[in-house]
Amino acid sequence: MASIFSNPDFQIALLGGGQLGKMILSEARRMDIAVRVLDPSADAPCRLGAQHFVQGSFMDFDTVMAFAEGAQAVAIEIESVNADALEALEAKGVPCFPQSHVLRIIQNKVAQKQFYADHGLPTSDFQRFSTLKELTQAIDLGRLAFPFVWKLGQGGYDGFGVSVIRIADDLAGLSEGECIAETLVDIGCEIGVVVARNKIGESQSFPAVEMEFHPTANQVEFVVCPSALPPEAIAEAEALALRVSEAFNAFGLLAVELFYTKSGQWLVNEVAPRPHNSGHLTIEACSTSQFEQLLRCMCGLPMGDSKLLHPAVMANIVGAEGFSGPVRYDGLSDAMRTPGTAFHIYGKAQTRPFRKMGHLTSVGRSVDEARARAAAARDALQVRA
Ligand code: ADP
C-alpha cells in the first residue's frame, strides 16, 4: 500500500512554533515526516528541527494561506489561529487538524459551553451575557447569585479570563466582553483525557490523568497517571471524553478536561483540539505518545496503542517568581541525577514568573515513587534570569 513514506512531497504545515510544536517535531523527525512551521517569533522553540521555519502571524488569513500552500495537511498547536484560513484550506481539500468547525466553537468559551448543553453533555449550569454590564444587571435583579465562576468568551488564556466571584468586590477589574457565569462546582478532582479519532473509524482515549494542585498556590503541581479514582469512575471519564469528541465530530486529538464532583458526578469543563499539557507524560509513559498519535491521524496511518506502560508523574518547569530576562537553569546537574526522569527544555530565551519553560516526567514502579522523583527533580531546579 502506498503510504506517506513513499511520497517525497508529503509535508505538514504547523501553525504555531511553541513547545507543543517542538514535541510534534521530534516525533515527526523520528518517523521521517516533514513539517514546516509558522510562528511570529524568530526564536520560537520550533526554530530548530522544522524543515522550514517561517516567521509570520498565524492569525493573518493571507499569511496562513501562503504558508500552507502545497502542504498535504495542516495542524495547529495554539488555538488563536485564523479559523477562516482553515476553512478555506479545507475547501481546497487540505485536511486540517482540528477541523475549522471544531476550532470555531472552541475559540469561544460561551459557544463551547452552549455546545455541551445542546448536545446533552454534562457540564456545570451557566448563564450567558453579551456584556459585563448585562451580568451586573442580572446580579442587581436577583437573577444571578454569588458565588459563581466568571469566564470571558474570547481572549482569555492560562487562567486569565476565569475568576471565582464570591462577593460584589470581586467584580472589579473583570475584562469587558461576552461572558458566562457558571455554577461554582464542588470539585473532588480534575481529570484530563486526551482522545484521538481518525478517518478510518478508529478511536482511542489515552489513560485518564489526574491534576494535583499545590495546597496553597492555585496551580497544577503534578499531572499523575494512573489517577487514584476507582477504575469504574475512570472508565466513565474515558467514555465521556470519547462521547465529547464524537459530538464535535472531531478528528485528530481532543484533550478533554473534566471535573469529578464530590458527589461522584462527571462534568465537562473545557476541551482543547490539539496536544495538551495533561498528555505530556504519554511520551515516557505510553506505547504511543499524544504527539505520535496526532501525526498518525494526520497521515492516514493506523492508531498506535495508547496503553500506560508504567506509573508516571509530570511537573511543569516554570520561571521562578521575581526573575525576568535571559533564562538560566540553576541546579540542573543535581536535578538530572534523578532516576527515571526525562527533561524537556523548551528553548525559550526569556524567563518570566510562572512562564512554562519546560517540563519533566518521572516514571516509577508506583505513582508514589514517580511523584517523589518528580518532586525531587523539580525542587532541585530553579529557572532564573
Ligand atoms: P483556562 O482555560 O484558563 O484553563 P478553565 O476553564 O480550565 O480555564 O478554568 C481554570 C480552573 O478554574 C479550572 O482548572 C478549575 O480549577 C477552576 N474552575 C473552572 N470552572 C470552574 C467551575 N465552574 N467551578 C469550580 N472551579 C472551576
Side-chain angles (χ1 to χ4, degrees):
M1 192 184 94
S3 75
I4 57 133
F5 301 113
S6 38
N7 175 2
D9 296 328
F10 187 90
Q11 194 166 77
I12 287 172
L14 175 63
L15 306 179
Q19 64 263 24
L20 299 172
K22 188 176 182 224
M23 288 182 263
I24 293 173
L25 286 183
S26 78
E27 291 297 313
R29 197 81 300 276
R30 184 169 63 76
M31 302 198 338
D32 207 46
I33 297 166
V35 183
R36 67 176 86 146
V37 178
L38 176 69
D39 194 274
S41 166
D43 50 29
C46 284
R47 70 196 177 282
L48 305 170
Q51 248 74 11
H52 299 291
F53 179 80
V54 177
Q55 192 181 356
S57 169
F58 40 67
M59 293 162 103
D60 179 67
F61 181 88
D62 293 331
T63 306
V64 174
M65 294 306 284
F67 165 73
E69 182 67 41
Q72 275 74 32
V74 174
I76 69 165
E77 63 106 56
I78 182 164
E79 273 133 58
S80 54
V81 305
N82 190 300
D84 292 336
L86 290 198
E87 193 176 336
L89 287 162
E90 285 166 341
K92 289 171 74 174
V94 184
C96 294
F97 296 82
Q99 299 72 58
S100 59
H101 76 271
V102 180
L103 185 65
R104 281 191 202 285
I105 298 167
I106 287 165
Q107 280 178 336
N108 184 317
K109 279 188 194 261
V110 181
Q112 194 182 142
K113 205 59 186 167
Q114 191 62 49
F115 178 87
Y116 303 136
D118 292 346
H119 288 78
L121 295 162
T123 194
S124 59
D125 291 334
F126 67 102
Q127 294 183 48
R128 313 171 51 149
F129 301 100
S130 313
T131 59
L132 191 56
K133 189 153 180 251
E134 257 187 33
L135 181 146
T136 52
Q137 281 169 348
I139 297 173
D140 295 342
L141 294 168
R143 294 193 190 128
L144 175 63
F146 300 117
F148 60 85
V149 182
W150 165 87
K151 294 188 182 179
L152 186 62
Q154 257 165 314
Y157 64 94
D158 272 353
F160 299 98
V162 175
S163 216
V164 178
I165 309 297
R166 295 181 191 277
I167 52 169
D169 285 353
D170 294 339
L171 294 164
L174 294 187
S175 303
E176 190 42 69
E178 190 189 17
C179 59
I180 46 177
E182 282 184 25
T183 304
L184 180 66
V185 176
D186 200 8
I187 298 174
C189 64
E190 298 195 29
I191 295 286
V193 181
V194 178
V195 173
R197 288 177 78 229
N198 66 20
K199 292 190 177 163
I200 48 177
E202 296 174 317
S203 58
Q204 236 175 48
S205 68
F206 282 91
V209 300
E210 184 165 340
M211 327 298 167
E212 289 185 356
F213 283 79
H214 188 275
T216 50
N218 188 27
Q219 274 197 329
V220 175
E221 184 172 28
F222 298 118
V223 173
V224 172
C225 192
S227 149
L229 287 181
E232 314 80 68
I234 291 299
E236 281 171 19
E238 292 174 359
L240 174 56
L242 213 47
R243 246 177 78 205
V244 174
S245 167
E246 284 163 4
F248 273 107
N249 201 19
F251 293 103
L253 298 182
L254 194 73
V256 184
E257 292 179 25
L258 301 163
F259 296 147
Y260 192 57
T261 66
K262 291 208 170 124
S263 56
Q265 193 193 2
W266 285 107
L267 298 173
V268 179
N269 177 32
E270 62 169 3
V271 304
R274 52 165 172 80
H276 192 259
N277 194 261
S278 64
H280 286 354
L281 56 70
T282 60
I283 297 174
E284 287 80 14
C286 296
S287 318
T288 309
S289 74
Q290 60 170 348
F291 303 99
E292 178 177 346
Q293 204 75 301
L294 172 63
L295 290 168
R296 286 177 178 240
C297 290
M298 295 186 72
C299 297
L301 296 166
M303 203 83 86
D305 179 5
S306 55
K307 217 178 27 249
L308 188 72
L309 300 171
H310 30 232
V313 172
M314 192 279 301
N316 290 312
I317 298 171
V318 300
E321 237 176 321
F323 296 89
S324 293
V327 65
R328 241 181 44 209
Y329 297 93
D330 292 349
L332 192 60
S333 307
D334 283 340
M336 290 190 88
R337 291 199 175 88
T338 316
T341 301
F343 290 79
H344 297 256
I345 303 296
Y346 299 155
K348 297 177 185 176
Q350 303 286 319
T351 184
R352 289 191 300 271
F354 306 113
R355 187 177 193 200
K356 284 183 191 151
M357 303 300 286
H359 77 265
L360 58 89
T361 299
S362 299
V363 299
R365 281 158 297 186
S366 65
V367 162
D368 285 345
E369 184 178 56
R371 190 192 290 104
R373 289 173 168 177
R378 185 209 47 195
D379 293 347
L381 184 60
Q382 301 294 322
V383 182
R384 298 192 175 125

